[in-house]
Amino acid sequence: MFASRLNVSCRFYVERILAALCCCLAVSVTQATGAEFRGVVLDADSEMPVAARIYVRDSDGDWLFVETAASDGSAFPYSEQWVPMPDSTEKHTTVSAHPFRIELPAGTYTIRIERGKEYLPLSCAITMTDQPQHVDFRLQRFVNAAERGWYSGETHVHRRLQELPNVMMAEDLNVAFPVAFWTVRSDRPPDLEPSPLRRQGPSPFGARQDAGRNPVFVDRQHVIFPRNTEYEIFSIGDHRHVLGAVFILNHQSVFRQLVPPVRNLAEQAHREGALLDLDKHSWPWSMMLVPVANVDLFELSNNSVWRTNFGFNRVSDSIPDWMKVEYESPGVLTEWGWLQYGFECWYALLNCGFRLSPSAGTASGVHPVPLGYSRVYVQTGSSFDYEKWLTGLKAGHSFVTNGPMLFATINKEHPGTAHPFSEDGGELPIHVEVVSQFSASLVEILQNGRVVASIVPQSTVDATGASRTVIDESIAVRTSGWIAVRVIENQPDGRKRFAHSAPWYVSVQNRPMRPRREQVEYFLQLMDTEIIRNKDILPAESLAEIEQARDVYQSLLDESEP
């Protein structure tokens, strides 16, 4: 029995002025040696235990890890630092929906609890003495995306299979595609143990054993697609030579092909119903892969976007001025500049006619970021269906977020739908609802990559403490192309979070979409650079794929607008 058992009811505040607090309460007594601290995370409305991510820090700033206090519970500590820079370490524990515990010396500690994107974070201070303590932490859900038919997932996962049931529930993530097979060399096929960066440990599927192609259900709304492959080519044979990465998601057979070339691999993947996911737009071969491999997905928020400080702020190639990205200093991007760079590449590809639906990934498992920190929500209708989720992901019935929740329709249709017009064009009504921990700073409507409406919203705070924004607009359609909605959220610490819808496609008779000349010229420049860089390294068949991509962009240049 505990000498004292304290229930703490925490007040929730919107984190719009102070960056870290949605509630705060100190628990203290007056002795001085230390004892066991126990807690349980509850849904504030249902009072039922929920899984969550827990941060514990002492007064010296050191991170501590909790463990499960239940025989049938689980807890997985996570500690990653990718680059040696201040505040770029992610240290937390994901706990199942059971009580947790930790032995704490006397002193003051901060505890922060988070759960995915639909709950307000909870921050509290505790003071430990020689008396054991127990706290019920109540997390407030501020939106229920599933009740609206939206279910979350991420496509770049490096967590071990045995961790995923715990971590997915703690992050409230419905779908995960863990990388099972990986290769980093052109002369080695993907393997089950691809890198020392991958945290090793016992597997429920056995050592070096493929988990198979069938979905693994955590419960009826949470599913793992276990057979996924990453080709991340850093070497051509023994020669260090970076090409980049691409993911094959949910393939049926085990791929043993070598890459490059990529065409045959991509064709087999598509025959098996798999999806090709472009990892990062900045890899040397990324813009070649899109036309040659018929890539399905574009990671609009990728593994360079962290909860901790932004680390990957330098890019090797010059970014064209027309992208108007944000720099910290010459040659050094801000985090928002990095995201802008990705947005502009995606917009340009869409304008070239490539129907790339947005995805999101974190590389949680090797990067300092929680699983699902960036995620894609897919509309499946009244209930979760994993096949509909996959179909919706490919079709773009989706939005990507690393913070705000974005529910938008055009003509009462979700993203990914098509809207035809006669040669005169017409008007389309757009309805936007944003629900978030912070107030949305800007809502933008884009047409063929250009902002055609920029709205500073008037938000209200609801009973949960969340911010809500509702906007109704009408957009004129005069030419074929696409429309999307982008939300920008300025945080109190100066960083920006975002949500971005997939496109709605519009077609106007006799008025085809034309890419902008500057966009196509940029892709041609990239291909010319790659042909020169690879001509004495890649075999003829692989080099020919870059030349083929160049030919595609050259044909688009002839059709481009000034």
Side-chain angles (χ1 to χ4, degrees):
M1 296 291 293
F2 289 124
S4 65
R5 180 179 178 89
L6 302 178
N7 291 322
V8 177
S9 178
C10 298
R11 294 182 61 196
F12 291 93
Y13 295 91
V14 178
E15 295 184 83
R16 60 182 65 238
I17 299 174
L18 299 176
L21 298 179
C22 62
C23 87
C24 185
L25 182 68
V27 181
S28 63
V29 265
T30 56
Q31 304 296 317
T33 55
E36 181 186 67
F37 177 84
R38 288 199 179 204
V40 64
V41 183
L42 305 173
D43 180 286
D45 295 321
S46 70
E47 291 288 318
M48 295 298 293
V50 292
R53 174 177 7 112
I54 298 178
Y55 299 86
V56 180
R57 206 168 194 181
D58 65 19
S59 57
D60 294 326
D62 294 326
W63 297 99
L64 307 173
F65 300 97
V66 303
E67 60 188 30
T68 185
S71 59
D72 56 345
S74 62
F76 285 94
Y78 188 78
S79 178
E80 289 291 342
Q81 183 178 31
W82 185 255
V83 291
M85 59 177 287
D87 298 321
S88 68
T89 301
E90 178 70 29
K91 294 188 176 185
H92 64 255
T93 310
T94 52
V95 298
S96 59
H98 299 86
F100 62 88
R101 65 172 301 280
I102 184 173
E103 293 288 335
L104 293 175
T108 301
Y109 301 84
T110 59
I111 296 180
R112 184 173 176 88
I113 302 175
E114 299 183 12
R115 186 171 197 256
K117 300 299 183 186
E118 301 176 35
Y119 284 80
L120 294 174
L122 177 67
S123 295
C124 293
I126 63 168
T127 300
M128 289 298 296
T129 62
D130 62 350
Q131 297 297 308
Q133 299 182 40
H134 180 106
V135 174
D136 293 344
F137 297 97
R138 291 174 172 83
L139 281 186
Q140 180 63 58
R141 180 188 282 276
F142 66 87
V143 65
N144 192 326
E147 289 184 349
R148 302 170 181 238
W150 294 95
Y151 294 89
S152 62
E154 77 143 290
T155 57
H156 186 176
V157 177
H158 285 286
R159 303 301 291 262
R160 293 174 294 174
L161 280 170
Q162 72 269 27
E163 297 177 341
L164 277 176
N166 166 287
V167 181
M168 289 175 68
M169 297 303 291
E171 300 296 351
D172 197 23
L173 186 76
N174 300 103
V175 181
F177 297 85
V179 172
F181 301 90
W182 197 357
T183 185
V184 296
R185 291 174 57 126
S186 68
D187 59 346
R188 293 182 184 172
D191 191 85
L192 285 165
E193 293 183 7
S195 168
L197 292 172
R198 186 86 165 274
R199 297 298 178 255
Q200 300 301 313
S203 169
F205 303 100
R208 296 180 60 83
Q209 182 177 336
D210 176 25
R213 67 183 189 181
N214 295 322
V216 177
F217 287 89
V218 180
D219 64 17
R220 64 183 182 87
Q221 290 189 346
H222 297 82
V223 63
I224 302 165
F225 292 99
R227 185 175 282 174
N228 311 286
T229 296
E230 179 177 6
Y231 284 87
E232 188 173 23
I233 305 303
F234 289 110
S235 298
I236 304 300
D238 292 327
H239 178 68
R240 174 75 176 182
H241 186 76
V242 176
L243 294 180
V246 67
F247 300 97
I248 317 296
L249 303 179
N250 194 37
H251 49 94
Q252 301 303 298
S253 63
V254 175
F255 284 2
R256 304 295 294 170
Q257 295 94 325
L258 301 178
V259 163
V262 299
R263 175 180 288 280
N264 290 339
L265 172 76
E267 289 176 349
Q268 179 183 340
H270 284 135
R271 284 195 300 271
E272 295 187 6
L275 299 176
L276 272 66
D277 185 26
L278 195 69
D279 175 33
K280 281 191 287 288
H281 53 281
S282 60
W283 287 117
W285 72 348
S286 290
M287 298 306 133
M288 176 277 292
L289 288 174
V290 174
V292 170
N294 294 318
V295 173
D296 303 286
L297 307 173
F298 185 105
E299 285 194 12
L300 205 56
S301 191
N302 53 47
N303 63 353
S304 295
V305 180
W306 302 338
R307 181 183 179 276
T308 65
N309 278 358
F310 176 61
F312 288 86
N313 54 3
R314 295 183 182 272
V315 290
S316 57
D317 295 317
S318 59
I319 299 173
D321 292 340
W322 58 262
M323 288 190 176
K324 299 179 181 178
V325 303
E326 183 180 87
Y327 286 90
E328 179 180 304
S329 60
V332 180
L333 294 171
T334 64
E335 180 179 44
W336 183 243
W338 167 255
L339 286 165
Q340 287 177 304
Y341 179 30
F343 294 163
E344 292 296 334
C345 287
W346 184 49
Y347 301 160
L349 290 167
L350 291 173
N351 286 348
C352 288
F354 302 110
R355 291 203 171 188
L356 293 162
S357 295
S359 63
T362 62
S364 181
V366 295
H367 276 226
V369 60
L371 181 74
Y373 177 75
S374 297
R375 59 183 64 189
V376 57
Y377 277 84
V378 176
Q379 173 65 221
T380 69
S382 59
S383 62
F384 177 72
D385 181 295
Y386 75 90
E387 292 178 331
K388 286 184 179 179
W389 197 94
L390 285 171
T391 301
L393 178 66
K394 179 177 172 58
H397 304 314
S398 58
F399 69 88
V400 167
T401 183
N402 64 6
M405 302 296 294
L406 170 61
F407 307 110
T409 59
I410 286 184
N411 207 24
K412 298 184 179 180
E413 298 282 351
H414 296 298
T417 53
H419 300 267
F421 288 90
S422 67
E423 60 184 0
D424 295 327
E427 300 280 328
L428 281 175
I430 298 181
H431 176 79
V432 178
E433 182 183 359
V434 182
V435 190
S436 188
Q437 175 185 348
F438 303 105
S439 295
S441 304
L442 196 63
V443 175
E444 297 175 317
I445 300 172
L446 300 106
Q447 196 167 15
N448 294 357
R450 290 189 170 103
V451 176
V452 294
S454 184
I455 304 150
V456 178
Q458 298 297 314
S459 301
T460 60
V461 178
D462 67 14
T464 69
S467 175
R468 292 178 182 265
T469 298
V470 177
I471 293 171
D472 287 288
E473 287 285 330
S474 181
I475 295 297
V477 177
R478 298 291 178 260
T479 188
S480 299
W482 55 274
I483 299 169
V485 178
R486 182 172 70 191
V487 177
I488 301 170
E489 180 184 271
N490 295 327
Q491 296 185 90
D493 62 2
R495 297 174 74 180
K496 296 179 180 179
R497 298 194 298 185
F498 81 95
H500 205 306
S501 75
W504 293 261
Y505 295 98
V506 295
S507 58
V508 179
Q509 187 178 352
N510 299 324
R511 295 185 184 181
M513 180 176 63
R514 298 170 62 194
R516 300 208 303 267
R517 188 174 187 84
E518 61 192 1
Q519 295 173 329
V520 184
E521 287 177 338
Y522 175 60
F523 293 150
L524 279 170
Q525 174 192 330
L526 293 178
M527 295 304 98
D528 287 339
T529 300
E530 283 304 288
I531 289 170
I532 294 170
R533 191 177 76 95
N534 288 281
K535 67 178 182 178
D536 296 325
I537 297 173
L538 294 185
E541 185 180 3
S542 301
L543 192 64
E545 292 186 331
I546 306 174
E547 294 168 343
Q548 176 195 346
R550 191 196 186 285
D551 291 342
V552 172
Y553 291 125
Q554 181 63 56
S555 66
L556 288 166
L557 185 66
D558 298 336
E559 303 169 5
S560 64
E561 64 178 29

